[in-house]
Structures are given as structure tokens and as C-alpha cells.
Amino acid sequence: MSKKNKFYWFEGVTEEGVKALLSDQNPKFKWLRPQRNRRVLVVLMAVGLVLMALGSYWPALKSEFGSSGASLVVYSIVAISVIFVVLVGYLLLRISVRSIADAPDELLDERQVVVRNTSYRYAYYAMGYLLLGLLLLMFFGPQLQMFQSEGNDGSFLIIASLFAYSSMPSMVVAWRERDI
């Protein structure tokens, strides 16, 4: 009798997908598993998130590209490309940690549950400091407004923050764990 592939809505994963990653049935991404490669991926992901967030503070670049229709298209393509690269980095990061940070309890063993829970704890600490930094930037930095055609637009900062919040547990697991 065939068992249905259960979808875990809260975690955003499927049972077969997590089991395939946990049992190493996907050798195509074996090069992502060593700790050194995972740490490089975490650093690249952090740099990508910072670059994406800094897009909110580049009004001169935006106004320069926004002067004509073709320049606006180039600016849009660059912005979408940065977002796409960060998204691909996030997906590779999830694969590199075997989706441990996103898997439900019933698909993990006891050690993996402890690793996942401690990674969430450290990720929440890190995100608390990031939120403090963003609040200080909001009070003392240039003023941001949402979805503005000219001036400092806060939408890139919001998108980068959302990616950071979703990827931070996987980044912590990738950085801390020796063997995955």
C-alpha cells in the first residue's frame, strides 16, 4: 500500500523531500556537505543579504538609472538578479544542512532535534541584535519610505530582513555543525 507524501504546512517541507535529504539519496549536492563549503555559503549568503539591504540606501544609483525607461529596466534587472541570487543561495543552504532546520520533530532523531532547537535559539539571538541594529539605523540613519520612485526606498531592506529571518537557522546549523 502506498503512503501519501505528507506536506508539513508550518515548516514548508514534504516528508519525502526531508527523508531524501536526510538519507543522502541526493548525491548531486554532496559537494555542499563539508563544513568548509557550508561556511563559504553562509558568508556568501550574508554578503548577498547585506548588498540587498544596501539597495535601500542607494538613491543616487536609483535616480541615475531611473532617468530613462531603458535605465529603469537595467536597474530592475539588477535588483531582481540580486534577489534571485540570494534565493538560490538560500535553497542551496537548505540542501547543504539537509533541511534539518526546517524539518518537523517526527522526521528527525533526538540529536537532530537538539541541533535544530539550539540553532533556532542562536538564530533568534542573532536576529534580535539585527533588529536592534535596524532600529538604530532607523533612528540615526537616512530616512526610508516604502515603495518610493525617488529617494531612499525601504523595500530592499524589508526583503533582505525577511530572507535573513528565514535563512538564519539554516545558517547557524551550517556554521556550527561539523558533520551533517
Side-chain angles (χ1 to χ4, degrees):
M1 180 172 253
S2 67
K3 188 177 177 183
K4 268 181 92 171
N5 185 18
K6 185 175 179 182
F7 187 81
Y8 295 90
W9 290 98
F10 186 70
E11 291 87 359
V13 296
T14 62
E15 184 177 8
E16 287 180 9
V18 171
K19 285 183 179 180
L21 285 172
L22 289 174
S23 64
D24 202 22
Q25 294 175 7
N26 196 355
K28 181 170 45 173
F29 297 108
K30 190 173 184 149
W31 61 276
L32 287 171
R33 303 281 195 257
Q35 186 179 26
R36 179 178 178 265
N37 294 349
R38 286 184 281 126
R39 285 186 172 181
V40 167
L41 189 58
V42 167
V43 169
L44 291 176
M45 185 75 178
V47 168
L49 289 171
V50 168
L51 288 177
M52 187 188 315
L54 288 177
S56 292
Y57 291 102
W58 290 332
L61 180 65
K62 192 172 189 177
S63 63
E64 180 182 326
F65 279 124
S67 60
S68 69
S71 299
L72 184 61
V73 170
V74 170
Y75 178 76
S76 299
I77 289 173
V78 169
I80 290 171
S81 298
V82 169
I83 292 171
F84 180 73
V85 166
V86 170
L87 180 64
V88 168
Y90 171 64
L91 295 175
L92 288 175
L93 187 66
R94 281 185 68 175
I95 291 170
S96 73
V97 297
R98 300 177 187 262
S99 197
I100 290 174
D102 302 316
D105 284 345
E106 63 191 63
L107 298 178
L108 299 175
D109 62 17
E110 293 84 12
R111 179 191 171 279
Q112 291 168 336
V113 170
V114 170
V115 166
R116 187 206 50 206
N117 291 343
T118 57
S119 73
Y120 268 93
R121 180 175 167 227
Y122 289 123
Y124 288 137
Y125 285 153
M127 295 315 295
Y129 289 119
L130 179 71
L131 183 64
L132 177 66
L134 289 176
L135 286 173
L136 290 173
L137 186 63
M138 185 179 78
F139 288 131
F140 300 115
Q143 183 168 352
L144 294 175
Q145 295 180 350
M146 295 302 293
F147 309 113
Q148 297 296 314
S149 59
E150 294 179 7
N152 294 332
D153 180 15
S155 60
F156 290 107
L157 189 62
I158 298 294
I159 293 169
S161 297
L162 291 174
F163 271 117
Y165 272 96
S166 63
S167 64
M168 188 59 73
S170 293
M171 291 171 78
V172 170
V173 170
W175 192 268
R176 290 185 69 225
E177 287 302 306
R178 182 167 301 281
D179 296 321
I180 292 185

